[in-house]
Amino acid sequence: MVEMITERLVLRRFLPDDWKDLYEYLSIEEVVRYEPYGVFTKEECIKESIERYEAEDDSSFWAVCLKENDKMIGHIYFQQTDPKKFMTWALGYVFNPKYYHKGYATEACKRILQYAFEDCDAHRIVAGVNVKNIASWKLLERLNMRREAHFLQNVFFNRDSYDKPVWNDSYRYGILAEEV
Ligand SMILES: CC(C)(COP(=O)(O)OP(=O)(O)OC[C@H]1O[C@@H](n2cnc3c(N)ncnc32)[C@H](O)[C@@H]1OP(=O)(O)O)[C@@H](O)C(=O)NCCC(=O)NCCS
């Protein structure tokens, strides 16, 4: 995994010590509201950081850090989907709310798209997002990704008190190498 530098950020592999910064945002209910998991405990963040550090396929999670002090302010998930011959990667991201509305997520994701098309020879990047997650799909549109689909009730992460799935509507976004 290569390190990537932008104007204000460094995108690098996770380090075991990143658990503190990870815990700072994954422990917040609001941050994980649209994620397929709940809030993380301190112990889970320690385990998660070590796993991301040790992962053989080390390109899935990128720690996004401030250039000035190496503070990890968020992370990007970026993984090739199956079948591999379609040369498609899925994009995801979670940032610390203390650093929202500063363009950091946009800056980091733009660098990932550049990496995808220039270094990975990607044909297509896709992202799925809850229709209610406006900040997230606005970010995808800032990246010039196209809304390709509006799925009705295609996914659920929780069940209600009657054990029925709580279905969510979602958008899928995509961008092709030739569109950049
Ligand atoms: C999705 C998420 C990363 C978006 O964060 P964000 O702060 O809105 O995105 P950015 O960091 O790119 O900031 C963009 C905003 O900063 C503003 N901004 C300020 N300075 C800027 C700069 N130098 N460059 C670009 N934008 C700048 C933009 O105008 C934009 O403002 P707006 O929100 O009023 O439109 C964040 O909401 C998040 O982590 N959510 C929780 C996890 C989550 O839901 N992940 C997605 C699951 S699908």
Side-chain angles (χ1 to χ4, degrees), residues 32-44:
V32 299
R33 174 188 265 193
Y34 298 111
E35 294 297 312
Y37 46 79
V39 288
F40 275 50
T41 63
K42 193 169 141 182
E43 289 68 31
E44 285 168 336

Side-chain angles (χ1 to χ4, degrees), residues 28-164:
I28 303 171
E29 191 75 48
E30 190 59 26
V31 170
V32 299
R33 174 188 265 193
Y34 298 111
E35 294 297 312
Y37 46 79
V39 288
F40 275 50
T41 63
K42 193 169 141 182
E43 289 68 31
E44 285 168 336
C45 285
I46 293 172
K47 187 167 171 277
E48 188 70 22
S49 295
I50 292 171
E51 277 175 11
R52 290 182 189 187
Y53 169 67
E54 288 178 345
E56 253 174 57
D57 173 15
D58 61 6
S59 59
S60 300
F61 286 100
W62 292 82
V64 179
C65 309
L66 291 179
K67 217 185 221 178
E68 62 197 47
N69 56 11
D70 202 41
K71 164 93 180 162
M72 191 186 65
I73 60 164
H75 64 263
I76 290 179
Y77 168 81
F78 184 67
Q79 193 169 49
Q80 190 170 8
T81 61
D82 287 319
K84 298 280 189 280
K85 67 178 179 184
F86 288 171
M87 297 302 283
T88 297
W89 271 256
L91 173 70
Y93 33 74
V94 183
F95 277 70
N96 184 327
K98 281 187 194 155
Y99 301 90
Y100 285 178
H101 310 300
K102 295 180 193 302
Y104 287 134
T106 304
E107 189 171 319
C109 289
K110 273 189 181 161
R111 185 64 188 86
I112 290 284
L113 291 194
Q114 187 190 349
Y115 164 72
F117 293 126
E118 288 180 6
D119 299 319
C120 305
D121 201 23
H123 166 63
R124 179 172 144 78
I125 311 292
V126 294
V129 54
N130 189 307
V131 166
K132 292 182 187 157
N133 195 352
I134 298 168
S136 181
W137 57 256
K138 276 177 71 178
L139 165 58
L140 295 171
E141 293 187 355
R142 275 196 292 279
L143 298 171
N144 293 325
M145 292 181 71
R146 268 177 299 101
R147 188 179 293 174
E148 296 183 323
H150 181 173
F151 298 113
L152 301 184
Q153 300 188 25
N154 68 322
V155 62
F156 79 90
F157 303 129
N158 300 303
R159 291 177 181 275
D160 66 15
S161 51
Y162 301 100
D163 207 30
K164 291 224 166 87

